[in-house]
Amino acid sequence: VQRPFVAQDFSRDARFFSILAWAIRRSGIVRAVDPVKVVREFIHWTERELDYQQEARHLERLQAQALASKIPVKIPKVYRDYTTRRILVMEFLEGETLKSHFLDKTVFPGHSQFFKDITFFELHSFLLDGFFHADPHPANILILPEGRVGLVDAGIAAEVKISDRKRMAKFVAAVVKEDLEGVIKAFLEMVRVPILEVLNEAKANYP
């Protein structure tokens, strides 16, 4: 349940940070990134998270993808009849968060397969389905009683263009081959940083 006036409070904060970002860009203090674009991106994703109808759609799509892929990842069912923009009603998943094990510094049974499953599901979602859970931090990952992966909080999820999927595929292939130069090039292509020319020049000058 969304707390009262959260959207209004965020709207005021968003206006403040937008003005601040504009002032920082005008000052020229920060040149590596555009602060206005960073703030706009933050506002865009936060506004999406505040819409629980949007999150419900994300959960339903990820649940369908998990079932189709046959990867043992559990996505909670959404109860649409009771869900609104400010109330999200979904299936309760019984389990412990991955964060709790990090804090306790404990290793749980079947951890190796568990991490394979969550990794394969994220890669499958990104590379093949073109839609993925973009916020899989330890508090959003559950260890279910049977050792299965539980994935919650799909407020941030995103579509992936074919071109971006190809870039990620190149990156993963380079990691598997332990090709350091390929990893760097693929990463820079993904983030669209025009440093490849600099790398080629450095390689030519310092073989």
Side-chain angles (χ1 to χ4, degrees), residues 183-204:
V183 168
I184 294 172
K185 285 185 176 180
F187 175 77
L188 293 175
E189 286 180 12
M190 283 195 299
V191 297
R192 297 179 178 84
V193 176
I195 303 181
L196 290 177
E197 294 179 7
V198 177
L199 286 176
N200 291 332
E201 182 180 347
K203 185 177 179 180

Side-chain angles (χ1 to χ4, degrees), residues 62 65 119-134 158-169 172 190:
L62 289 168
Q65 290 176 189
T119 300
F120 288 161
F121 178 69
E122 283 292 285
L123 287 174
H124 191 283
S125 298
F126 192 104
L127 297 175
L128 300 179
D129 297 317
F131 181 80
F132 74 110
H133 189 303
E159 296 272 0
V160 189
K161 296 185 295 185
I162 291 291
S163 57
D164 289 332
R165 293 193 229 174
K166 289 180 179 179
R167 292 188 183 99
M168 174 59 86
V172 172
M190 283 195 299

